[in-house]
Each structure stands twice: as structure tokens, then as C-alpha cells.
Amino acid sequence: IKEVRGDNFDRIIKITFETIDMLGDYKELELIVEIMGRNSNMCLIDTETGVITDCIKHIGENKSSFREVVPKVKYVAPPSERLNPIDYDIYAGSDKLLDFFEKKVKGALQSVFNGISPIVLKELVLNEGIDTEKKVSELDYDEATKICRKVGDYFSDIENKFSYSIYYSEEKNIDYAVVD
């Protein structure tokens, strides 16, 4: 195994490793694990060509209009409308946030950004003072921009906040988070 990494705060894990093929040559492969509920999948990719060697679920063009996930086809990542909270345009984030005018800010933030689970959202609210119970329709553009800037500020230093915390109640694991 050469590298393990996440993909833009989305629920995708990429594991790059080196192996020896049948001819005795070194070859780099990547195992891509897509954790997407009932659409979860694992694909083995030849990193040199980007072509799928095999995958757990084969998804032909008759099952998906966006991407085909079958051997010998170039791998295409699943579609994601959400933004990476570390690297995004604040104004694009504001526009997306305001598109969810019917939701509370809490739900809208989870719809706009990858990586904002309910527990991370609670931490974000505590650290940045965002009123998540307010409806998005009550925000003006400046307020939406301020919220998106606070999300960016919180995530800009996320590497120094990692703590891998597991929370217990009566000896049972009840939740976990990557922030304390």
C-alpha cells in the first residue's frame, strides 16, 4: 500500500498500491471505495490507464445515464453537487446555500458541503456561532456569504482539529467524530 486518501471530503476512499502483474512487472493499482448507501461500490482501477479492472457492482449504461461502471471502461467518479469545504468559492457557496430557501440553515449546509455530518455541524455551530435553526429564506446574500466564510474558516484549519473521538454511553458506542 502506497497511499490512502479521501476524495474532496466526499464518502470516497482511494487506496493506491503497487503489485506485480503476471509478467513480473510492477504495476500501480487503485482501489476506490464509494460509500454511498445502497449505491456503494468498490472498483479496482489501473492507475496508468484509469480503466476499471473490476468492481463489486457492475452498472451498465442501461442502469445509469451518468456513468457506466464495468470492467474495461474508464472510471468516472460518482456525481456530486456538493462543495469541498476546504477549497471552494465563497460566492458560489452562498448561491448554493440560498438555493435551499425552504430548509433550515442546518440542513442546507449539509446539502451544500461534503463532510458536514450532524456532529461536525454541531461543532461548527459552537465554534463559529452560526444560527442553524434559521430558515435560509430569512437570510440575505451578505448573511449567506458570512456563513459560507465561517464554514471555510472552520475547515481551513481542520488538520489541527482531528482527534478521532469515539463517544460512549453505558459502555455502548453511540457516536464518533474526527473532531473533539
Side-chain angles (χ1 to χ4, degrees), residues 36-84:
M36 309 282 176
R38 66 183 175 90
N39 296 318
S40 295
N41 207 349
M42 288 175 41
C43 299
L44 186 62
I45 312 295
D46 179 334
T47 57
E48 188 178 317
T49 63
V51 171
I52 298 170
T53 303
D54 206 355
C55 47
I56 299 291
K57 290 182 188 173
H58 293 201
I59 303 167
E61 57 188 21
N62 59 337
K63 288 187 181 178
S64 172
S65 61
F66 177 76
R67 69 181 191 145
E68 200 175 6
V69 185
V70 293
K72 299 184 179 157
V73 171
K74 196 161 186 76
Y75 174 79
V76 176
S80 178
E81 297 288 319
R82 295 184 294 165
L83 301 173
N84 177 345

Side-chain angles (χ1 to χ4, degrees), residues 71-170:
K72 299 184 179 157
V73 171
K74 196 161 186 76
Y75 174 79
V76 176
S80 178
E81 297 288 319
R82 295 184 294 165
L83 301 173
N84 177 345
I86 290 179
D87 181 28
Y88 70 98
D89 177 88
I90 289 172
Y91 301 105
S94 302
D95 290 340
K96 277 180 113 28
L97 181 62
L98 291 171
D99 285 344
F100 293 99
F101 57 90
E102 289 297 319
K103 289 187 172 187
K104 289 183 179 180
V105 171
K106 176 186 350 186
L109 286 173
Q110 290 178 296
S111 297
V112 170
F113 295 101
N114 281 326
I116 299 186
S117 65
I119 198 156
V120 170
L121 181 65
K122 286 179 187 175
E123 185 67 12
L124 177 64
V125 169
L126 289 172
N127 283 322
E128 302 297 334
I130 298 171
D131 180 5
T132 58
E133 293 303 315
K134 196 174 197 179
K135 282 194 94 171
V136 172
S137 59
E138 298 173 37
L139 301 176
D140 63 25
Y141 193 79
D142 289 338
E143 289 174 303
T145 303
K146 185 177 177 183
I147 289 170
C148 288
R149 185 169 281 115
K150 286 182 175 191
V151 169
D153 291 347
Y154 177 78
F155 278 92
S156 68
D157 191 33
I158 195 71
E159 289 178 8
N160 294 322
K161 296 175 184 168
F162 283 146
S163 68
Y164 308 104
S165 302
I166 300 175
Y167 300 94
Y168 296 94
S169 176
E170 299 175 18

